[in-house]
Amino acid sequence: MLLNVSYTDKNITKKIDEAVGKPFPIRERFAMGGIGSPKLHITECSIDIYNLLILDNNLNTCNIELRPKGIIVRFRSLLETYGLIIPYYKLNLYKGDLAIHSIYMDHYFIKVRSDTQAIQRFFRKLLDYRADHLPTSIEDL
């Protein structure tokens, strides 16, 4: 779901916490080596996100926050901050062309440039955490 997360609203915070879990405690953040991504440059995105990004002339960038049951992809448009809330069971990650990672959920997608080691390490951390904490599927039984 795509939400405006610029302002503190109890209803929106509750929706986010139900979908992807509450933020990690500070001790777990240190143990994991951080839960946020470096700045990611958006190369391509779905039409809903694109319509928000073209409203200003700034660089199209985003960042990703890990949560216990999913991720939040945050980006800015005009003076607002938007978040794409993605539970792990709906998250699809693809390594496409050279130095491009694609993040898909339902009809939303964002393609980001992954041309540095830090960004590639973050995506590896995301994939490892997701694999360790995804519930077992019926095919695994």
Side-chain angles (χ1 to χ4, degrees):
M1 75 186 119
L2 185 62
L3 297 172
N4 185 339
V5 293
S6 299
Y7 312 105
T8 304
D9 184 4
K10 290 179 185 177
N11 295 330
I12 291 177
T13 304
K14 185 178 175 188
K15 275 186 195 177
I16 293 171
D17 289 347
E18 286 174 358
V20 294
K22 292 189 179 292
F24 287 107
I26 193 79
R27 183 173 294 195
E28 284 187 48
R29 291 181 191 199
F30 280 118
M32 293 172 68
I35 60 165
S37 72
K39 183 187 285 190
L40 304 170
H41 294 279
I42 299 172
T43 59
E44 197 176 333
C45 56
S46 60
I47 192 70
D48 299 333
I49 297 168
Y50 180 75
N51 286 339
L52 293 170
L53 290 175
I54 62 169
L55 295 175
D56 61 6
N57 293 325
N58 297 333
L59 282 176
N60 294 335
T61 60
C62 65
N63 67 350
I64 300 173
E65 176 191 347
L66 294 176
R67 291 281 183 107
K69 297 189 297 185
I71 64 171
I72 301 175
V73 181
R74 287 192 174 95
F75 58 91
R76 292 188 56 91
S77 176
L78 293 176
L79 296 175
E80 305 289 322
T81 304
Y82 294 91
L84 182 61
I85 290 74
I86 307 174
Y88 284 133
Y89 68 91
K90 288 187 175 186
L91 174 66
N92 290 316
L93 278 173
Y94 298 106
K95 173 81 169 82
D97 296 336
L98 184 68
I100 297 287
H101 273 88
S102 304
I103 304 163
Y104 284 85
M105 180 199 80
D106 297 338
H107 65 278
Y108 297 109
F109 74 91
I110 296 177
K111 293 184 180 184
V112 297
R113 204 172 6 184
S114 59
D115 51 358
T116 65
Q117 283 295 115
I119 295 172
Q120 292 172 4
R121 276 195 307 266
F122 176 78
F123 276 105
R124 174 57 38 207
K125 182 194 305 184
L126 170 60
L127 288 171
D128 291 343
Y129 186 83
R130 177 181 173 219
D132 291 343
H133 295 89
L134 220 104
T136 33
S137 64
I138 195 77
E139 291 87 25
D140 294 342
L141 299 175

